């Protein structure tokens, strides 16, 4: 299961940040109250210390004075009781009460695991080494953010533990090794030691078939703790297995499955066949646009065949790709309009769903990690204005289109390769809508992203970067009504920042006289 907070929803995370700030203030108030209390006790103890020192020099003479006798009686009868009450007074009530109230909004174990998985996903997609992540020096991150974005030994150990719980020994090894490096460099931890880390390390590398390294880690562990029961047992087992392995012919060919697993970085075979291409495009690699093809892409002022609204003020249109044609419209919505759309969507953001090809119904999926909300044209004039603008610019009827979907991708948020249209093996994909297949997609970027978050088309090797206030548009279907499989695309994980988009899926019904059907795919 994917956590509801796995993608680190910026809205909720911002609220949590302010909650933590409030708790820190409350904690400081509690500390101040405790310090005031101790200061009162200290003054009382100092005063009595001086008094009793003087009295003990001549006890009979001291008590011979009636005032001293009276005050001794008073102190023992009332003042020590008052002091007892002061000592027993619990100054933490306010802080504990505040903490209890706020705790209901805290992330749970599932959320923490989800956040860890997001980090591991970013590590793979953008080929980041553990030290880069541990020091917080990520591409696109500000110097201010980097100052407080350091992972401790405990943090690295926790990431390794999350991977271990998923039987992901590849990432277990990487993060336990990072924890060990930081311990070797002198960092201290009250919860994690070298023996514990080495125990995980030896087992994780053994699970990946690296017997010699597993043996090395086990021997190092036993140097630190010779009585470690599991390590002693593993030592004998690893030595036995290594001896067996060395008897096998040196030139024996590696098993295909073992080789494939190693090439995939130890990751499992439920890995998408196109993941390598997807991750390359996310990093800006493998883009298939030659200089000659690039020279045929143009920017222009576009008025959609002299549409009345755009004859005087045409929009800026830029070719992003040629086959299939993907165009970007610049400065298509204002900051004020985007802010209103976000404001309307935020209270309703829920875990994003996808169409189940088997049932045709909406469901959550592990490969789509974002939150979304749907906005109808009737809800606010700005939504109606954006819908009308889409119709005017594309020339397509949006009355049968789906509502405007607003999606928020936080750190690690992604949508793996998919088609927007229903394929032939999904006849019921949009049956409940009754408006036919998705003929076209309009994708509006409502934020800039510091790093990551590109929209990539895995079949053709295209990558489109987020740019606030711009919208990209493409047709999912050929004029013949056949699906254009070149439009398979994905939303890359957000590495730094957060990504707001809104998309409009335009359907076939209502387009009969706006985009005429052709007999062939290319018509």
């Amino acid at each position: 299961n994917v956590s509801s907070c796995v993608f680190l929803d910026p809205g909720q995370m911002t609220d949590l940040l302010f909650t933590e700030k409030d708790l820190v203030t409350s904690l400081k108030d509690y500390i101040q109250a405790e310090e005031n209390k101790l200061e009162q006790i200290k003054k009382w103890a100092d005063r009595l210390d001086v008094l009793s020192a003087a009295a003990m020099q001549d006890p009979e003479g001291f008590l011979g004075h009636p005032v001293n006798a009276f005050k001794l009686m008073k102190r023992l009868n009332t003042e020590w009781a008052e002091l007892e009450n002061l000592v027993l007074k619990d100054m933490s009530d306010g802080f504990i009460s505040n903490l209890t109230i706020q705790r209901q909004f805290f992330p749970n174990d599932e959320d923490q695991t989800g956040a860890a998985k997001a980090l591991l996903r970013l590590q793979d997609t953008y080929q980041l080494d553990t030290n880069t992540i541990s020091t917080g020096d990520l591409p696109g991150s500000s110097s201010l953010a980097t100052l407080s974005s350091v992972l401790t030994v405990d943090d690295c150990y926790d990431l390794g533990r999350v991977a271990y719980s998923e039987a992901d020994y590849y990432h277990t090894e990487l993060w336990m090794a990072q924890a060990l490096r930081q311990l070797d460099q002198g960092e201290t931890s009250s919860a994690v030691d070298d023996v514990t880390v080495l125990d995980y390390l030896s087992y994780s590398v053994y699970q990946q078939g690296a017997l010699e390294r597993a043996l090395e880690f086990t021997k190092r562990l036993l140097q630190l703790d010779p009585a470690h029961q599991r390590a002693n047992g593993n030592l004998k087992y690893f030595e036995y297995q290594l001896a067996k392995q060395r008897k096998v012919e040196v030139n024996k060919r590696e098993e295909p499955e073992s080789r494939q697993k190693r090439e995939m970085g130890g990751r499992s075979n439920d890995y998408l066949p196109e993941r390598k291409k997807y991750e390359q495009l996310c990093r800006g690699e493998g883009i298939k646009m030659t200089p000659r093809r690039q020279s045929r892409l143009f920017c222009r002022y576009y008025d959609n065949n002299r549409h009345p609204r755009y004859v005087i003020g045409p929009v800026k249109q830029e070719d992003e790709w040629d086959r299939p044609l993907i165009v970007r419209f610049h400065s298509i919505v204002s900051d004020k309009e985007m802010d209103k759309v976000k404001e309307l969507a935020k209270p309703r953001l829920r875990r994003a769903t996808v169409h189940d090809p088997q049932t045709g119904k909406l469901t959550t999926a592990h490969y789509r990690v974002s939150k979304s909300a749907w906005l109808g044209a009737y809800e606010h004039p700005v939504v109606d204005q954006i819908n009308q603008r889409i119709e005017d610019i594309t020339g397509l009827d949006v009355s049968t289109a789906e509502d405007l979907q607003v999606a928020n991708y936080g750190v690690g948020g992604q949508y793996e390769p998919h088609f927007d249209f229903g394929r032939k093996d999904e006849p019921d994909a949009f049956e409940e809508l009754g408006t036919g297949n998705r003929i076209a997609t309009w994708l509006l970027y409502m934020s800039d992203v510091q790093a990551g978050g590109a929209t990539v088309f895995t079949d053709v090797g295209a990558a489109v970067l987020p740019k606030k206030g711009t919208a990209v548009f493409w047709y999912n279907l050929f004029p013949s009504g056949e699906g254009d499989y070149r439009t398979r695309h994905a939303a890359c994980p957000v590495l730094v920042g957060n990504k707001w988009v809104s998309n409009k899926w335009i359907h076939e019904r209502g387009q009969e006289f706006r985009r005429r059907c052709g007999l062939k795919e290319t018509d």
Side-chain angles (χ1 to χ4, degrees), residues 249-305:
E249 293 179 1
V250 177
N251 60 353
K252 183 177 179 181
R253 293 185 63 183
E254 186 178 11
E255 291 293 327
E257 286 185 13
S258 176
R259 182 171 64 253
Q260 182 187 16
K261 188 175 181 181
R262 192 190 70 246
E263 288 171 352
M264 293 173 68
R267 287 168 280 185
S268 61
N269 289 332
D270 61 357
Y271 213 55
L272 280 172
E274 62 191 318
R275 174 161 314 260
K276 185 176 180 182
K277 184 186 294 185
Y278 159 56
E279 292 183 347
Q280 282 180 328
L281 290 169
C282 288
R283 295 192 297 270
E285 303 167 5
I287 298 173
K288 297 177 180 177
M289 178 61 75
T290 63
R292 186 173 181 180
R293 281 178 69 184
Q294 182 79 37
S295 68
R296 295 172 185 160
L297 303 181
F298 294 97
C299 297
R300 64 189 68 83
Y301 283 102
Y302 180 78
D303 61 12
N304 192 17
N305 294 321

Side-chain angles (χ1 to χ4, degrees), residues 16 35 39 70 80 105 130 132 135 145 160 164 173 204 240 249 278 289 347 390 440 473:
L16 290 176
E35 287 177 345
E39 187 62 31
F70 165 73
W80 276 98
F105 304 112
T130 52
T132 297
T135 56
Y164 180 81
E173 178 195 350
S204 61
Y240 168 72
E249 293 179 1
Y278 159 56
M289 178 61 75
I390 295 170
F473 174 80

Side-chain angles (χ1 to χ4, degrees), residues 202 206 209-220 222-223 230-248:
S202 62
Y206 159 69
L211 273 171
E212 288 192 30
R213 293 185 62 228
L215 191 59
E216 288 174 14
F217 286 130
T218 303
K219 287 179 178 177
R220 181 175 169 184
L222 288 169
Q223 286 177 348
R230 183 168 50 249
N232 277 298
N234 287 344
L235 179 69
K236 295 174 184 176
Y237 179 72
F238 293 158
E239 287 176 337
Y240 168 72
Q241 290 292 334
L242 195 57
K244 273 180 62 177
Q245 188 182 78
R246 284 168 178 166
K247 288 179 182 177
V248 179

Side-chain angles (χ1 to χ4, degrees), residues 302 310 314-317 328-335 337-338 385-386 389-390 393 442-445 468-472:
Y302 180 78
Y310 297 105
V315 297
K316 298 173 184 176
Q317 186 191 65
R328 187 196 295 261
F329 297 99
H330 289 265
S331 304
I332 209 68
V333 289
S334 67
D335 286 347
E337 288 173 319
M338 288 185 282
Q385 290 165 15
I386 290 173
R389 203 167 301 158
I390 295 170
I393 291 173
W442 170 280
L443 178 62
L444 170 67
Y445 297 111
K468 188 177 182 182
T470 71
V472 292

